[in-house]
Amino acid sequence: MTLAADLLLLAIDPQRRQLRVSERLDYALMGADLVELALARRVVMEGDRVLVLDARPTGDRLLDEALASIAAKDRPPRARAWVQAVRKGLRSDYLGVLTEQRAIRRTPRPFLRFFTVTDLVVLEPGRQAGIKARIDAVASGAAMDDPRGRALAGLAHAAGLSTVLYPGTANRALRKRLQQATRGERVGADVLRATAAISDLAVDATTRAVTDSAMRAATDAAVHAAMSAAVDAAHSAGHSSHSGGGHGGGGHH
């Protein structure tokens, strides 16, 4: 189960059977794919660019598409630019994943005589609650050492879910922690460049600990860069939508 699929499931309102957020969601899904590739040590950051470490298939079709799109560039893309270039059908693809996993059911129904709307029926409320619980743990400060949990929390913020999950002034501190999850320690470019070559090195027992530490630092940098890119892209989309831009892709047809 990928971060993108979990994020999309969390975004569904089980009562209204529609997505709770839309405008920024696609950028968060792109960011989620980038985070997954970073956690799998398939990509690393070199400055603000995404460098492919291992272009072999991951076994997940959508992540493989994401990885291939990065590898196909003439030069490593900037994280923000890659996140902003939302892949066609991305949201629909992940709704398909959730459908295949039997986490949701998509049910079309008439809407205003000439239109249809697709209801997103949550079939696994326990899974949705579990995703929310992981974010709660980060928001409460209890799970900041869980990289996937922090990534999920940061992506929820990027998607605009903070105010949905934690509304009102009483929850301001919880929303702040979700925002902070998108920020990490800055890692020197020299460390990242050295880490990018790790796959080509024969690591012996005396250097393994140092190498593993560098890889963890590089992975963390990539994760936070991906989440920051998703946040930046979402904010940019928010400004452009007020001028008539923005992305579609919801359940209405």
Side-chain angles (χ1 to χ4, degrees), residues 118-136:
T118 299
D119 283 339
L120 305 175
V121 183
V122 175
L123 302 178
E124 287 193 349
R127 176 178 166 185
Q128 191 181 54
I131 296 166
K132 172 63 162 52
R134 292 184 67 188
I135 294 178
D136 287 343

Side-chain angles (χ1 to χ4, degrees), residues 81-169:
W82 186 84
V83 167
Q84 284 181 317
V86 176
R87 298 198 307 281
K88 184 177 180 180
L90 180 66
R91 191 186 302 189
S92 179
D93 284 343
Y94 272 113
L95 286 173
V97 168
L98 291 173
T99 302
E100 291 170 4
Q101 294 174 348
R102 298 185 179 180
I104 67 169
R105 182 177 66 247
R106 291 180 287 183
T107 307
R109 61 177 171 83
F111 178 73
L112 297 179
R113 292 186 62 189
F114 301 108
F115 302 93
T116 60
V117 63
T118 299
D119 283 339
L120 305 175
V121 183
V122 175
L123 302 178
E124 287 193 349
R127 176 178 166 185
Q128 191 181 54
I131 296 166
K132 172 63 162 52
R134 292 184 67 188
I135 294 178
D136 287 343
V138 175
S140 68
M144 295 305 288
D145 58 345
D146 173 13
R148 290 186 68 84
R150 280 191 293 115
L152 187 60
L155 291 163
H157 167 70
L161 282 167
S162 298
T163 55
V164 175
L165 300 176
Y166 307 110
T169 56

Side-chain angles (χ1 to χ4, degrees), residues 159-241:
L161 282 167
S162 298
T163 55
V164 175
L165 300 176
Y166 307 110
T169 56
N171 288 317
R172 184 178 301 165
L174 299 179
R175 294 195 299 273
K176 185 69 173 179
R177 286 199 187 97
L178 290 198
Q179 183 179 8
Q180 290 171 343
T182 65
R183 303 170 183 169
E185 296 181 0
R186 294 188 179 274
V187 182
D190 55 335
V191 175
L192 298 182
R193 280 194 291 270
T195 303
I198 283 174
S199 60
D200 297 327
L201 300 177
V203 182
D204 58 31
T206 59
T207 62
R208 185 172 293 113
V210 175
T211 302
D212 286 348
S213 177
M215 181 59 86
R216 284 194 298 272
T219 299
D220 191 59
V223 167
H224 287 291
M227 290 189 292
S228 296
V231 172
D232 290 345
H235 284 315
S236 295
H239 291 306
S240 65
S241 68

Side-chain angles (χ1 to χ4, degrees), residues 21-44:
V21 293
S22 181
E23 184 179 273
R24 296 161 54 174
L25 184 57
D26 292 327
Y27 300 106
L29 294 177
M30 288 289 288
D33 279 354
L34 194 53
V35 169
E36 287 284 9
L37 294 173
L39 290 173
R41 297 179 181 178
R42 298 305 184 95
V43 301
V44 71

